[in-house]
Amino acid sequence: MRSDREIERDVREELNWDPDLDAKDIAISVKDGVVTLAGFTRSYSDRLEAEHAAKRVAGVHAVANDIEVRLPSIDQRPDPDIARDAIDSLKAQLPLSHENIKVVVKDGWLTLEGTVEWQYQKTTAENAVRKVKGVKGVTNVISLKPKVEPTDIQRRIQEAFKRNAEVDANRIAVETHGSEVILKGTVRSWIEREEAERVAWSAPGITRVEDRIVVSP
């Protein structure tokens, strides 16, 4: 087991190591392996990158991201301009499904609404708008409405885990209830936990994945 002091030190070093992240105004605290990030960044993408950097550190069980986005005056834009650029980005990334997604912007905070067939489309939509200039945050409430019925989900996910070099299939249990999946067990890192969830979402017909996996290095 790593001490909170060691984890805090490594999180700080990981934030400073990232060449794309300005972390000088980010405060870090750790208690029982749970990392809290506070302070502020100058872009929404920096806020997210700080969270991802913390999750990469060994011994981190969870991350609470309380970082505030304070855009420089040069990056602040009217909501209609942000909305137009967000729509253009969605069209570029999701040419076949962007028409099912609605963009709402208020005071720089962007909300995605609508329905898509696959989780990857929901994820792609969020990634497409995160770096739009002027965005202070993104709320993704896009719902899933698969066109195919889920069949033999549990077996398919378990086999996908076994094929995946980043996931230890023996440490993860899969429960299914119709189109919903529950993941349980333990993994060695937060990255492995996220990969397990991504794999589960890839099964056809899935509408919900409840990730109860615990990070235990």
Side-chain angles (χ1 to χ4, degrees):
M1 294 292 293
R2 308 188 68 216
S3 70
D4 288 343
R5 180 173 295 183
E6 290 174 322
I7 294 172
E8 181 177 342
R9 178 201 64 204
D10 286 357
V11 169
R12 170 57 63 190
E13 290 182 356
E14 187 69 16
L15 292 179
N16 291 331
W17 179 259
D18 192 327
D20 295 325
L21 176 62
D22 181 359
K24 67 178 181 293
D25 295 309
I26 298 176
I28 304 166
S29 61
V30 183
K31 184 176 182 180
D32 299 329
V34 177
V35 176
T36 299
L37 302 176
F40 66 92
T41 59
R42 290 164 178 77
S43 71
Y44 182 56
S45 59
D46 274 1
R47 181 182 188 271
L48 295 174
E49 183 54 38
E51 180 179 325
H52 293 157
K55 288 177 178 178
R56 290 194 294 266
V57 173
V60 173
H61 295 167
V63 177
N65 191 344
D66 295 330
I67 296 172
E68 177 187 354
V69 177
R70 297 181 185 175
L71 296 178
S73 57
I74 193 173
D75 291 332
Q76 295 184 19
R77 305 174 66 205
D79 288 344
D81 291 353
I82 296 172
R84 279 192 290 270
D85 283 358
I87 291 170
D88 288 343
S89 186
L90 287 172
K91 288 179 180 178
Q93 296 294 320
L94 294 168
L96 301 180
S97 56
H98 69 87
E99 292 181 352
N100 298 322
I101 300 172
K102 180 180 179 182
V103 176
V104 179
V105 185
K106 183 175 176 59
D107 298 329
W109 196 280
L110 193 150
T111 301
L112 297 174
E113 303 174 349
T115 60
V116 292
E117 184 179 356
W118 292 86
Q119 173 67 16
Y120 86 84
Q121 294 169 319
K122 179 176 179 177
T123 302
T124 299
E126 183 170 339
N127 290 337
V129 301
R130 281 177 173 176
K131 293 187 177 181
V132 170
K133 186 176 180 180
V135 169
K136 297 178 181 177
V138 178
T139 300
N140 190 345
V141 293
I142 296 173
S143 59
L144 300 179
K145 289 188 177 180
K147 294 180 181 178
V148 299
E149 291 296 323
T151 57
D152 207 8
I153 296 175
Q154 187 176 33
R155 178 185 62 81
R156 291 187 177 197
I157 293 175
Q158 289 172 334
E159 289 180 351
F161 283 161
K162 292 177 182 178
R163 293 193 301 269
N164 193 302
E166 298 180 26
V167 177
D168 186 347
N170 295 323
R171 302 180 68 181
I172 302 175
V174 181
E175 295 181 10
T176 57
H177 304 278
S179 63
E180 300 184 358
V181 175
I182 299 175
L183 302 178
K184 298 179 180 179
T186 59
V187 294
R188 295 155 295 187
S189 68
W190 197 273
I191 299 300
E192 186 180 0
R193 183 181 189 270
E194 291 186 333
E195 178 63 12
E197 184 173 332
R198 185 197 67 78
V199 170
W201 271 117
S202 299
I206 294 296
T207 60
R208 181 171 180 264
V209 174
E210 183 177 343
D211 194 342
R212 300 181 187 174
I213 296 173
V214 175
V215 177
S216 181

